[in-house]
Amino acid sequence: MIRIILSCVAVGCLCLSAPAQGKQITLEEIYGGAYRTEGLEALRSLQNGLEYTVLNYDRTTRNSSIDKYDYRTLEKVETLFSAADVQEIPNFSGYEFSNDESKILLATEVESIYRRSTLGVYYVYTIDSKEIVQVAPTKIQEPAFSPNGTKVAYVAHNNLFVYDVPTNTTTQLTTDGLKNKIINGVTDWVYEEEFAFVRAFEWNSNGTKIAFLRFDETLVPEFSMDVYGDELYPKQHVFKYPKAGEANAEVSLHIYDLGTGKIDAIDLGSPYYIPRIKWMQHPHYLSVQTLNRHQNSLKLHAVNTADRSVSLLLEEQDKAYVDVTNDLTFLNDDRFIWTSERDGYKHLYLYNAKGKLLHQVTKGNWEVTKYYGYDEKKDKVYYQSVENGTINREVFSIQSNGKNKKKLSEKTGTNDASFSATYAYFINTFSSDTTPPEYTLYATSTRNKIKDIKDNKALLNKLKDYNLSHKVFSTITINGNDLNMWMIKPKDFDPSKKYPLLMFQYSGPGSQQVANRWMGVNDYWHQILAAEGYIIACVDGRGTGFKGSDFKKSTYLNLVKYETEDQIAAAKALSDLPYIDEKRTGIWGWSFGGHMATNCILKGNDVFETAIAVAPVTSWRFYDTIYTERFMRTPQENAAGYDNESPFNYPELLKGNFLLVHGSGDDNVHVQNSMRMIEALVQANKPFDWAIYPDKNHGIYGGNTRLHLFAKMTQFIKEKL
């Protein structure tokens, strides 16, 4: 049964619903930064728990500075560092303190490698002496202070180095690093993209040892992309990319002893993946997470680096897959906090140092969405969850035994927190569909508001002059599931008229698009379309996140199949509404959402008349091992799962208007996906529109690129839908 409920979920003040003043949002304003929100950049709590620092950037003078503020008064105490005062550094974009906060590591001239990895020139600034030294003569990766701040470890040219600050000398730890073959201390492409980390080395607690991962990419197939640039001949960018079913890098764990200069290999029994390493409080003990290729068995090991022995602390198993998180926290006695979906929802658990379960800290038919930390003095665990509805986020504290839970946030919407080092204070960031980000200081113990920091009211006042419509949140019952949905109607909506419908979605496993938070750039574009007389809707179907493990993993082995069915059914249900023109239904999406949009215009060709697919996957055979095999296993094991939902296998189903867009320099979802789709449509003699953006990556941005792309998409929608 398909049932639709259009009761509006309360979203706070409806300040965007005031009578329209007639001013329209433009693409030039969106991509020129006219609606940019103010925030607190690179906020760091100082160890005293009374002060914090922020990276401030003056757009007028183009000067960066690190400024210290008092939590109680929010008054600026002093400027710790300003690029304007140092000739060697014209500007910087990031910073990290040493543990004793006597030194600052400054990032300059930073350039992207892939999604998370960067190269940069780094300096160490000593606060008292105001001395500044460059860490290395060339650009490096992932520098990190030793615990006492006298050394900086980093990676250059796939090798690991240690720079000694007092003596201004450098020691090279590894020598076998070689592009597209051996990597020491940072991750390969697929680990970076899918396990979401780059730095693959860690200092132990007293700075005597460094644990690091080594990647042997020898057997990983190479992928090449032409880079057109502006020279006479294009160049080729060649890198190792393991596609589903192909060989991954062989990864191994090693320990470097700074006293002896010796590197020891640790025998973990040939694990397929090592997605995390983390030192315990005891300087001889390292925790290591290993994962099998199917990613349904995650083991947490304890490594005694004194004798290289390895013991098992715990194992997580699942009939589908186990997620890797960053939540593992070792307490002073090496008890540890861990997240798990073992009871069907993501929750926090407390274990002793030997891996014995002490308490399930959080429990209920809802999920923990972020773990902030643990105050050992007060026995308080701080976390964010969806206890007040899956489209909202709230901040809580709870004792480690699961008792005395308190809600720390006040407003309904999306709340996030940044705690002081002692947990005495927290800065709450709140936003909703109608309220841009607000930054407010609270006392943690009393939950009393101390002071407002920033509220973005200037932006809100500016937007009152615009013709905007707020989202209406609701649920829609599709294929037996109550799915979250939002809808945007034209400002002058008349229920007696009929309007074209454009659906937007992403739909990937564990994702969420229907959330009570402030607008992103896509939302502003949707406002432009609403002002042109379109209704925009978004439905989070099966496989999306924060509704429990069973809902998220219901698409296992069949990516895009059930998700497509849900979008088609939702479109049918919405088309039955009296104010929707059932003959003018469109859908669009990017990446996974682009795959969905393509499948919907083909398999739902009796429902959708128009679709836009940006940077879409068109065959999971083309995508990487870690992501794809987590949800699909390998093509050798699940050929039907891969091919039945691959749209270039049924191009003859296309009846409507289709726009296909890709960047030729996409290292993530390769343009190969679109090229195969284009060829299939050509051979099926199907008319369609397409655009390739030269040398642009998965984000398709740079210069006027986004402006051009969305201008093209806008024109396509206005002409075809």
Side-chain angles (χ1 to χ4, degrees):
M1 179 182 72
I2 297 174
R3 178 169 57 93
I4 182 169
I5 304 173
L6 287 177
S7 57
C8 177
V9 176
V11 294
C13 77
L14 301 181
C15 46
L16 299 183
S17 299
Q21 302 299 312
K23 194 171 182 181
Q24 302 294 336
I25 285 176
T26 68
L27 291 173
E28 288 78 8
E29 288 176 323
I30 295 174
Y31 298 106
Y35 312 115
R36 185 184 292 115
T37 58
E38 291 186 346
L40 300 176
E41 298 298 326
L43 187 149
R44 309 273 190 273
S45 175
L46 297 180
Q47 297 293 348
N48 61 22
L50 303 175
E51 298 167 319
Y52 65 93
T53 59
V54 173
L55 173 60
N56 286 321
Y57 179 69
D58 188 322
R59 295 185 182 277
T60 303
T61 63
R62 297 181 179 274
N63 176 59
S64 299
S65 62
I66 302 170
D67 298 314
K68 183 196 295 185
Y69 296 83
D70 186 293
Y71 270 114
R72 292 164 294 188
T73 66
L74 297 181
E75 296 296 327
K76 180 178 171 181
V77 176
E78 64 176 313
T79 295
L80 293 179
F81 180 82
S82 174
D85 299 332
V86 181
Q87 194 171 18
E88 297 97 315
I89 301 179
N91 217 326
F92 67 98
S93 57
Y95 72 99
E96 294 291 341
F97 284 104
S98 59
N99 283 356
D100 64 1
E101 297 172 347
S102 66
K103 299 181 180 67
I104 306 175
L105 187 64
L106 300 164
T108 73
E109 301 179 42
V110 174
E111 62 179 90
S112 294
I113 302 174
Y114 296 117
R115 188 192 294 265
R116 296 175 177 87
S117 54
T118 59
L119 280 168
V121 177
Y122 290 84
Y123 296 84
V124 172
Y125 176 73
T126 303
I127 296 174
D128 287 344
S129 67
K130 301 190 184 306
E131 181 183 5
I132 189 163
V133 293
Q134 188 170 333
V135 174
T138 59
K139 289 191 173 185
I140 60 176
Q141 288 184 262
E142 299 300 313
F145 276 120
S146 62
N148 65 6
T150 63
K151 295 177 175 60
V152 177
Y154 64 88
V155 173
H157 306 294
N158 288 8
N159 282 312
L160 194 58
F161 296 78
V162 170
Y163 171 68
D164 187 83
V165 180
T167 64
N168 194 28
T169 58
T170 300
T171 302
Q172 184 169 348
L173 311 190
T174 65
T175 58
D176 59 346
L178 188 63
K179 183 179 179 181
N180 288 338
K181 189 172 183 181
I182 303 295
I183 309 173
N184 294 289
V186 292
T187 55
D188 65 354
W189 186 95
V190 71
Y191 267 62
E192 172 185 335
E193 178 67 26
E194 308 302 355
F195 287 142
F197 78 113
V198 178
R199 181 184 295 149
F201 70 85
E202 297 286 341
W203 291 95
N204 70 344
S205 60
N206 65 6
T208 59
K209 298 176 187 292
I210 297 175
F212 68 94
L213 299 181
R214 178 181 183 271
F215 294 82
D216 185 343
E217 297 186 291
T218 303
L219 299 180
V220 180
E222 289 183 341
F223 188 83
S224 63
M225 299 187 303
D226 283 330
V227 179
Y228 297 98
D230 54 9
E231 297 180 2
L232 185 61
Y233 289 91
K235 298 178 181 177
Q236 271 205 330
H237 176 56
V238 180
F239 62 105
K240 296 285 188 166
Y241 186 107
K243 298 200 174 197
E246 299 297 318
N248 282 278
E250 295 181 7
V251 60
S252 52
L253 174 66
H254 305 266
I255 308 293
Y256 176 81
D257 188 303
L258 274 75
T260 65
K262 183 181 178 183
I263 296 178
D264 287 326
I266 304 299
D267 184 3
L268 296 171
S270 301
Y272 200 77
Y273 297 119
I274 306 178
R276 294 290 186 272
I277 58 174
K278 187 182 184 74
W279 286 96
M280 301 181 186
Q281 301 297 342
H282 193 295
H284 289 324
Y285 282 86
L286 175 75
S287 75
V288 182
Q289 296 179 41
T290 62
L291 198 59
N292 63 335
R293 183 158 192 166
H294 283 166
Q295 301 178 59
N296 58 9
S297 175
L298 175 66
K299 295 179 179 179
L300 177 64
H301 307 271
V303 177
N304 182 341
T305 60
D307 61 11
R308 289 184 286 174
S309 61
V310 180
S311 58
L312 181 67
L313 289 176
L314 63 83
E315 181 176 7
E316 293 277 353
Q317 293 184 320
D318 192 280
K319 60 184 179 182
Y321 57 88
V322 180
D323 285 322
V324 175
T325 75
N326 292 316
D327 298 333
L328 174 62
T329 302
F330 289 98
L331 311 185
N332 287 334
D333 58 0
D334 277 333
R335 288 179 299 155
F336 61 93
I337 291 173
W338 177 261
T339 51
S340 172
E341 292 181 323
R342 64 181 54 187
D343 73 348
Y345 295 86
K346 184 182 177 183
H347 283 295
L348 299 170
Y349 295 79
L350 177 65
Y351 291 82
N352 71 12
K354 300 295 184 182
K356 179 182 178 181
L357 178 62
L358 299 176
H359 300 289
Q360 181 173 346
V361 181
T362 60
K363 192 172 185 178
N365 294 337
W366 45 267
E367 300 212 337
V368 169
T369 46
K370 187 176 288 187
Y371 165 68
Y372 295 115
Y374 176 64
D375 182 354
E376 293 202 50
K377 290 183 178 179
K378 294 185 178 180
D379 185 35
K380 294 285 187 181
V381 176
Y382 299 96
Y383 68 95
Q384 178 200 65
S385 75
V386 293
E387 292 175 56
N388 186 30
T390 53
I391 69 171
N392 299 310
R393 301 287 185 276
E394 293 183 327
V395 179
F396 292 85
S397 68
I398 194 170
Q399 289 178 286
S400 63
N401 61 5
K403 298 180 180 179
N404 196 26
K405 180 168 66 175
K406 293 181 180 179
K407 185 163 76 75
L408 303 181
S409 52
E410 294 183 314
K411 298 181 180 181
T412 299
T414 297
N415 293 275
D416 202 354
S418 176
F419 287 87
S420 64
T422 60
Y423 297 97
Y425 304 98
F426 71 95
I427 294 174
N428 190 83
T429 305
F430 168 79
S431 80
S432 70
D433 173 57
T434 57
T435 306
E438 299 175 343
Y439 299 84
T440 309
L441 178 67
Y442 288 86
T444 307
S445 59
T446 62
R447 290 173 285 173
N448 290 334
K449 183 172 80 169
I450 297 175
K451 196 172 183 180
D452 294 322
I453 304 173
K454 291 186 178 183
D455 56 19
N456 280 291
K457 283 186 178 177
L459 174 61
L460 202 58
N461 289 331
K462 176 180 180 178
L463 290 175
K464 286 181 179 178
D465 295 332
Y466 285 78
N467 185 19
L468 300 183
S469 302
H470 66 84
K471 293 175 181 174
V472 176
F473 292 91
S474 61
T475 59
I476 180 170
T477 303
I478 298 294
N479 295 321
N481 296 285
D482 291 333
L483 306 180
N484 292 337
M485 181 177 78
W486 57 250
M487 181 180 287
I488 300 172
K489 297 177 183 177
K491 191 70 179 178
D492 57 354
F493 174 73
D494 182 347
S496 66
K497 295 182 178 180
K498 283 187 176 291
Y499 296 86
L501 171 69
L502 177 65
M503 296 180 68
F504 164 69
Q505 45 64 57
Y506 176 73
S507 304
S511 66
Q512 184 181 56
Q513 293 297 323
V514 183
N516 189 7
R517 62 193 175 208
W518 184 244
M519 295 191 291
V521 288
N522 288 342
D523 294 306
Y524 284 104
W525 182 59
H526 292 151
Q527 291 289 341
I528 292 177
L529 296 177
E532 293 283 348
Y534 294 88
I535 287 178
I536 318 298
C538 179
V539 177
D540 278 341
R542 279 175 287 179
T544 55
F546 314 113
K547 288 191 169 187
S549 178
D550 288 346
F551 184 83
K552 180 177 68 175
K553 297 174 182 178
S554 62
T555 61
Y556 184 61
L557 300 180
N558 290 286
L559 274 191
V560 183
K561 174 179 170 59
Y562 301 116
E563 300 94 321
T564 300
E565 292 174 2
D566 284 352
Q567 295 298 318
I568 293 172
K572 287 181 178 178
L574 293 173
S575 294
D576 287 340
L577 295 171
Y579 50 82
I580 298 292
D581 186 345
E582 64 176 3
K583 296 181 179 179
R584 299 174 68 190
T585 305
I587 187 169
W588 87 278
W590 198 303
S591 193
F592 194 108
H595 191 340
M596 287 287 299
T598 306
N599 274 34
C600 284
I601 192 70
L602 298 179
K603 293 196 170 186
N605 59 15
D606 59 336
V607 177
F608 292 100
E609 284 75 39
T610 300
I612 300 175
V614 184
V617 175
T618 61
S619 171
W620 291 111
R621 291 179 181 269
F622 295 158
Y623 203 55
D624 72 61
T625 48
I626 294 177
Y627 182 92
T628 312
E629 293 173 12
R630 180 186 302 152
F631 310 119
M632 295 282 283
R633 297 203 171 184
T634 65
Q636 294 86 344
E637 298 170 282
N638 182 25
Y642 278 79
D643 297 334
N644 290 347
E645 308 306 318
S646 178
F648 59 63
N649 287 330
Y650 36 88
E652 69 280 357
L653 297 181
L654 180 64
K655 293 182 180 178
N657 312 300
F658 183 48
L659 172 60
L660 180 61
V661 179
H662 222 116
S664 72
D666 193 335
D667 63 275
N668 185 354
V669 179
H670 305 146
V671 72
Q672 172 188 23
N673 286 271
S674 285
M675 291 302 181
R676 283 291 293 272
M677 190 69 221
I678 290 167
E679 175 63 10
L681 291 170
V682 168
Q683 295 308 318
N685 199 28
K686 294 292 182 177
F688 64 100
D689 292 87
W690 59 291
I692 300 295
Y693 285 89
D695 298 342
K696 296 301 181 284
N697 66 15
H698 196 53
I700 312 183
Y701 61 88
N704 281 328
T705 304
R706 276 289 178 96
L707 176 61
H708 186 279
L709 168 60
F710 276 85
K712 184 175 187 64
M713 291 167 59
T714 304
Q715 189 64 29
F716 184 80
I717 292 295
K718 291 169 70 173
E719 290 179 356
K720 304 295 186 181
L721 185 61

